[in-house]
Structures are given as C-alpha cells and as structure tokens.
Amino acid sequence: MSINLLENATMAVKTLNANRLRSGLTMLGIIIGNASVIAMVAAGQAAQGYVTRQFESLGTNILFITPGDAQRGPGAGASRADTLTLADAEAIAAEVLAVSAVSPEKTERLRVTRGAAETQSNVIGTTPDYLTVRQITLAQGRFLNPVDSQANGPVAVLGSEVAKTLFGSQVPLNQSIRVKNLRFEVIGVVAPRGSSFGQNQDEAVYIPIGVMANQVTGQEVGKTSPSVQTIAVSARDETQASAAQYQMTNLLRLRHGLFQDDNDFTVQSQQDLLTTAASITDMLVLVLGFTAGISLLVGGIGIMNIMLVSVTERTQEIGLRKAIGAKGRDISAQFTIEAIVLAVIGGAIGTGLGIASIVVMTLTTPLIAGVSLGAIAISFSVSGAIGLVFGIVPARRAAQLDPIVALRS
Amino acid sequence: MALIELDQVSKTYGSGELTVYALRPVNLTIAAGDYCAIIGPSGSGKSTAMAIIGCLDRPTGGRYRLDGRLVNQMAADDLAEVRNRTIGFVFQQFYLLPQLTALENVMLPMVYANQPPDKRRSRAMQALEKVGLGNRLYNRPSQLSGGQQQRVAIARAIVNRPKLLLADEPTGALDSQTSQSIMAIFADLNREGMTLVMVTHDSDVAKMCNRTITFRDGQIVADSRAPASLAC
C-alpha cells in the first residue's frame, strides 16, 4: 500500500507553493527550455513553409535547365557555364512532345534610363512563352509576342517597380526607355509579383531574346547560337514532368555530343528543387530543435540541483514522515512528483511563452509560423520526463535516509 | 499483557576492540496500559532505547517483541507500517510541516495508512477536538503557540489510534504551565487505555507517571513503580 498520485501531487503543489521564489527560479530553466523548443521548431517549420511556398509559386509542372552539372557543382562538366544555347531551347520546343512551352532566359543586370530617370534592373531576354511558363499577368498592354520575336524589334515589357521608378504616375505604354543606349518601346507592364528567393521580380525588363543576344550583350565569339542562363520549360501537365525531364536530357546529350561524358547541363523539376530545399530546411529544424533541447536539458539539471538541496534541507521532514509511517517509496514518490510538478508547470508556462513568441513572429516577419501540437506534446512530455529522470537521484537519496538519523540531524 | 518486551536487546557501533555500546543488553517489559517515564543523563542510552522501542532504529542484538510481533528483524517498510499502525510519536521539536494546516498535519499518518479522505478528515477533527484545538483546524503551525503546536503533534500521534504513544521530551520546549496542560492530555489518554512511554529529564514530569525507569551507561539502573494512588 502506497499513497496515491493525486494526493502526492497536491502535497507537492503545497510544498512548492510554500517556497515560491525558489520554485519559480527552478522552473525558469524549464520555462526557457520549453519556450525555445517550441519557438525554434516553429521558426524552423515556418522557414520550411516559406521556402516550400516559394517553390510552389513557380508552378508544379515547371522544369529548369541550367548549364553545368548540379551534382558536381556549378559549371562542372564544362569549362564554362555557357553550354546551353538558344538553339537548344528551340530544339526542345520542336522535338520534345511532353513539353508545352519553352522559355529560354538570358539575363543581365543593367542600367535602364528614361531621360534623367534611371534604375538598375534585371534585363531578361526571353520569348513569348515566358508568360505561360513563369505564370505572369500583365497590368497594362501586352507581353512579347511571336511577331516581336521574329522581328527582333526594340520592344520592352516593364516590371511594375521599373515602370514606377521611370514613369511615376504616367502611362508608360508607347513611351521609350533606354538600355545600353538602345531605345526600346514599352509595350506592356507586368502586374506586381513580389520577390522570389530574395530577388525582386518587379525590378525586371523583358525584351526579345534575339535583341538581348545580338545588341545588348553582343555576339559571343565562336558561338553559332547565343548562350542562355536558364531554359524554363512547362510540361504538358504534372504527369508529363518526368517524361519531359527524360526526353530533354536525351535530346540535350545528343545535341551536345555527350556519349561517355557526364551531362554539361542540369534538368531540375520543381519537385527536385523542393526535395533539395526540404533536406536543407529539415536540417535547419533539427539544428534549431537540438539547440533548444540543450537548454531544456540544462533546465532539468537545474531541477535536480534544487531537489538535492531540498532533500538536504528537509531531512527532518523526511525523518518525521518516516516516523509516522511513510515507506521508502512514499518518500521517493513525493520527491519525484515534486520534480515532475515543477517540470510540468514550468513546461506549461514555457509552452505559453513559446506560443506567444510564435504569434509575435507571425505578426512581424513574413514567416507564417504555426503552433505545432507535435512540438508542444514533445516538449511537454520531455519536460515531464526530465522531472522524472532528474528527480530520481534526489528522491532515492531521500528514501534511503534512516528515520532516526534523519530526525536527529 | 505485555505490550513491549525487550529481551537482551543491545545496540553497538563499530566492531572488535572499537565496539561502543550505546545500549548494553537490556531486558525490559512494559505492560499494556502502563504510563512509564524513562529518565537518565544524556549518553545514558535512554534515547537509543526509545528509538528501538519506537522502531525507528534496529537493535544490534537481542529480540524485541511489540504487541506480540517480533519486530527486531523486520524490513524497513514493514517497520514503517508498524510505526504507522501501532505507535504514535510526540517529539520535543513538534516536527509539524509548516506548509500544511493543523488539520492536514494531523491527517498525515492516515494518508500513509491509506485511509479514505472523508474518514481521515473526521478522525483528524476528532483528534484535534480531543486536544482542545477544535477551533484551530485551519491554522498553520506558524500561527500557533508552542503549546498549541505540541497539541497538534499529539493529535497527529493519536489519530491512527495506536496502542503505544512515545514521547521524547514532550515538554522540553514548553513553559511549566503549558507543560501541565500537555501532561494532562497524556494522563487522559492513559486513562482511556493507551500505553505511554516518555523520555524526560524533568523529574516533575517523571513523577506524574506510574513507573520510572532510569538509564545510566547503557543500562537500566533503577525501575521504580509509584503507588497507583499517586499517579496523576
């Protein structure tokens, strides 16, 4: 026969309440540990969600072809990272059936002017397919069309911020801007898109890729077709994405004359990018959680420390309890439960603080942090377990005290 | 009938030539319903005898029978149960738990006896009534005088209705008037049939008992019985 748990817990609360300052300070470690586990895990998951959303905003059936072999680092597989050409993009559009739109992109950061107004902007040479592949919408006018591509006319579509900087409240349509002393006629303005991966997509000027290659960046020596940095491709639908990936790889290997050699380009689907990002952000969550876990552990050691002091201080109480009939296990249960109660109350307060910090994070940063029930459950049970584990040593010490020795101490 | 039977009970520390006798082999029988004082100078072995009688300590040698049960070889947890059921303790320093009310302090032995809460409450209240503290149930020890605290301790000692009440210098921390009232409670309890054994060095207190056992150098050197008419 041993006294029951509820009774012990009530007794523990009374005892801890009688020594509020000490109990509070003891709990502080657990409070901070618990709050940081919950907040850190939430921050990590929010970052994960943020990155995932960024990739998903690209569209689910998008594929990217970039020069060099990503498996072996950028630029590997070729001496220079200019192995992709406009002709490759044209070949893909013509020959790969699983693909519905192909948008080669040749980008350079350049000064764009209109009279006295000027701005630095990403000038992107591309084709009309960019509109569908990159899922952009226009605020005014139109995007590049096949006629523009064919004619290589000096026309430009402006990102919303470039339009605002250069034209203010005026309507930019049919006006002209200058890039590298070439005059372009504005035919459209893209609706605001926000930033993606830290790059402001509204700071862009879109011009026909032919104009970009021939007049803006200039002809490249020894190239029959201008090089491009990226070929973005839309698969016909999600199910065709891997077929497109396979077919494009084969086509490009053939075109680049690779038989034994490794690829000098990389085809990545949105899924590949997501997986890569997830493996990085998973690690981030793990590192954050681990760091916070250490503070939880330190909090637990704090509990053990104070409980050991408490056993020493309360030797007479232990002696008295034993004299009136408490068994060893009653005493050890009492001290263990005190430690658990400390840890669990500390855990509850820490959880509250953690949730509060998540709310603050969500309100003040672009991260959307969720309160993870899993993290709460884990840190709660971990703090309970910490109370149990770190309560055991002091509790055993208390239980083994000899009643007469304890009473006369 | 004998409640306490010590048969060649001894307590030693150390071994071989370094053996120190806290208690030389002692024979002592105390009958149920007796009211005994144990007196003697400090270091005489009276406290050791008290601890052994109270099952707080185990003898090194000899046999100890309490209420017919051989207790000198019992395991620690069994002794805890014996203390809980058969013995009530009153100490010089009261040993009340400061965070608990008078009522909760008195209920404590019944908590360890696993009694149902409503029974604990009613019996603890009865015990406090009996020591004259029916109106102080919810006071904490710090809100009570020394005499009141000792009365709470007595209520705690008798709440499980033990056969034996052991008091270790129960009036040592009290003034003479308060001591009188505590002794009156003890006399009442003894009249109701409870066996009392009290360690004291106050000869006035010892005179109120009907038997005085004197210890010196770990041995019983005198055992005198006061005339029954003089008791109390």
Side-chain angles (χ1 to χ4, degrees):
Chain A
M1 282 203 294
S2 188
I3 80 170
N4 75 47
L5 216 65
L6 185 67
E7 217 135 30
N8 247 324
T10 322
M11 184 80 76
V13 170
K14 275 181 189 152
T15 307
L16 298 173
N17 193 35
N19 217 331
R20 254 170 257 146
L21 178 66
R22 173 191 284 185
S23 307
L25 289 174
T26 311
M27 275 190 273
L28 206 57
I30 290 287
I31 292 173
I32 292 170
N34 223 319
S36 51
V37 167
I38 288 170
M40 291 296 189
V41 169
Q45 286 176 341
Q48 204 163 32
Y50 178 74
V51 171
T52 308
R53 268 181 281 118
Q54 294 269 299
F55 280 110
E56 278 170 356
S57 71
L58 298 173
T60 46
N61 44 13
I62 197 168
L63 295 140
F64 295 96
I65 310 168
T66 47
D69 188 348
Q71 314 260 288
R72 303 198 328 194
S79 53
R80 286 156 301 141
D82 60 356
T83 51
L84 283 183
T85 63
L86 186 56
D88 286 331
E90 282 159 359
I92 290 166
E95 291 174 42
V96 177
L97 292 175
V99 153
S100 65
V102 179
S103 151
E105 293 163 30
K106 190 172 178 63
T107 305
E108 201 163 312
R109 197 160 174 86
L110 292 168
R111 205 159 60 98
V112 181
T113 59
R114 175 195 173 239
E118 65 163 83
T119 180
Q120 284 288 324
S121 145
N122 291 321
V123 178
I124 302 170
T126 187
T127 60
D129 272 359
Y130 191 92
L131 189 70
T132 42
V133 176
R134 294 292 198 167
Q135 299 176 325
I136 60 176
T137 48
L138 286 160
Q140 295 170 37
R142 61 174 180 84
F143 198 70
L144 304 171
N145 67 17
V147 178
D148 300 321
S149 290
Q150 211 79 61
N152 277 336
V155 291
V157 176
L158 305 184
S160 61
E161 215 152 283
V162 174
K164 206 172 156 195
T165 313
L166 298 183
F167 292 94
S169 53
Q170 293 176 35
V171 177
L173 289 187
N174 302 320
Q175 308 245 36
S176 64
I177 57 164
R178 282 187 173 274
V179 176
K180 268 205 173 172
N181 285 326
L182 294 166
R183 205 182 61 82
F184 289 84
E185 186 195 340
V186 178
I187 55 169
V189 177
V190 175
R193 301 176 68 194
S195 57
S196 171
F197 303 105
Q199 198 169 57
N200 189 345
Q201 299 185 92
D202 297 322
E203 262 181 15
V205 173
Y206 306 92
I207 60 173
I209 193 163
V211 180
M212 182 73 181
N214 296 327
Q215 287 157 272
V216 179
T217 59
Q219 295 272 357
E220 290 154 276
V221 182
K223 286 269 181 189
T224 49
S225 179
S227 67
V228 296
Q229 281 115 339
T230 309
I231 303 174
V233 174
S234 277
R236 288 206 179 276
D237 55 55
E238 272 176 71
T239 57
Q240 301 272 352
S242 60
Q245 192 166 7
Y246 178 73
Q247 290 168 16
M248 289 190 298
T249 306
N250 283 342
L251 176 65
L252 289 177
R253 282 184 67 80
L254 204 63
R255 285 182 55 83
H256 293 186
L258 305 169
F259 298 101
Q260 307 279 318
D261 302 326
D262 290 319
N263 288 352
D264 58 2
F265 59 89
T266 304
V267 184
Q268 276 181 310
S269 65
Q270 185 235 23
Q271 201 53 49
D272 294 336
L273 295 173
L274 260 181
T275 311
T276 310
S279 70
I280 296 168
T281 52
D282 277 349
M283 194 53 75
L284 179 74
V285 172
L286 203 69
V287 168
L288 287 176
F290 183 75
T291 315
I294 289 176
S295 54
L296 202 52
L297 187 75
V298 172
I301 293 170
I303 287 190
M304 175 156 71
N305 189 7
I306 296 296
M307 291 309 293
L308 279 170
V309 172
S310 179
V311 168
T312 313
E313 272 186 1
R314 287 156 68 195
T315 305
Q316 287 195 339
E317 173 190 332
I318 295 162
L320 180 272
R321 285 179 185 273
K322 287 198 156 186
I324 62 175
K327 296 178 178 147
R329 59 174 175 274
D330 293 326
I331 300 293
S332 72
Q334 181 193 343
F335 280 88
T336 308
I337 285 169
E338 267 181 39
I340 292 174
V341 167
L342 267 180
V344 168
I345 292 177
I349 298 172
T351 303
L353 276 180
I355 292 172
S357 66
I358 289 170
V359 171
V360 171
M361 195 196 311
T362 307
L363 291 176
T364 56
T365 69
L367 300 177
I368 301 169
V371 176
S372 147
L373 285 179
I376 291 178
I378 287 172
S379 59
F380 228 93
S381 42
V382 165
S383 46
I386 278 176
L388 184 66
V389 169
F390 290 106
I392 280 176
V393 175
R396 278 182 63 89
R397 186 169 288 190
Q400 284 164 355
L401 282 174
D402 198 6
I404 190 68
V405 173
L407 269 177
R408 298 219 169 121
S409 71
Chain B
M1 189 202 139
L3 182 67
I4 296 167
E5 289 172 273
L6 299 183
D7 178 14
Q8 292 292 305
V9 165
S10 63
K11 179 77 182 177
T12 57
Y13 296 98
S15 60
E17 283 183 20
L18 296 172
T19 304
V20 176
Y21 275 91
L23 199 61
R24 294 184 183 281
V26 157
N27 293 316
L28 176 65
T29 303
I30 295 173
D34 219 345
Y35 187 3
C36 295
I38 295 179
I39 60 171
S42 46
S44 63
K46 64 179 193 303
S47 292
T48 305
M50 179 82 174
I52 289 171
I53 290 170
C55 299
L56 291 168
D57 204 359
R58 268 176 281 204
T60 323
R63 291 147 65 86
Y64 172 27
R65 240 175 240 285
L66 175 66
D67 197 21
R69 295 172 73 192
L70 198 59
V71 295
N72 54 294
Q73 298 269 303
M74 277 188 179
D77 278 359
D78 297 326
L79 284 178
E81 208 160 317
V82 170
R83 291 193 295 270
N84 185 250
R85 299 289 154 94
T86 318
I87 311 173
F89 291 94
V90 177
F91 300 98
Q92 182 176 4
Q93 305 94 320
F94 323 137
Y95 292 138
L96 299 177
L97 300 190
Q99 71 270 30
L100 303 184
T101 62
L103 188 65
E104 287 167 333
N105 266 292
V106 176
M107 290 196 296
L108 214 50
M110 303 181 74
V111 172
Y112 292 120
N114 239 356
Q115 303 276 15
D118 48 334
K119 187 176 173 190
R120 280 181 216 163
R121 208 182 157 72
S122 62
R123 283 197 21 196
M125 283 166 104
Q126 278 175 32
L128 279 163
E129 299 273 351
K130 190 159 189 147
V131 298
L133 286 178
N135 54 348
R136 296 277 192 214
L137 302 181
Y138 303 106
N139 286 65
R140 285 174 205 282
S142 57
Q143 299 163 316
L144 298 170
S145 70
Q148 287 172 327
Q149 289 187 51
Q150 190 60 301
R151 282 190 276 162
V152 174
I154 295 171
R156 180 180 62 194
I158 62 175
V159 75
N160 265 346
R161 300 182 181 161
K163 293 193 171 163
L164 174 63
L165 185 66
L166 280 181
D168 190 359
E169 302 279 11
T171 59
L174 305 174
D175 61 53
S176 64
Q177 205 183 339
T178 316
S179 298
Q180 292 289 330
S181 68
I182 296 296
M183 294 308 294
I185 295 170
F186 283 150
D188 261 356
L189 291 169
N190 180 242
R191 212 173 294 124
E192 285 165 20
M194 196 174 285
T195 310
L196 271 91
V197 176
M198 185 184 310
V199 170
T200 184
H201 52 237
D202 183 338
S203 53
D204 288 342
V205 167
K207 273 178 204 149
M208 295 172 134
C209 304
N210 51 29
R211 183 179 174 191
T212 304
I213 299 156
T214 311
F215 273 80
R216 186 166 297 146
D217 300 330
Q219 282 173 303
I220 295 173
V221 293
D223 187 349
S224 64
R225 195 164 276 282
S229 56
L230 278 181
C232 310

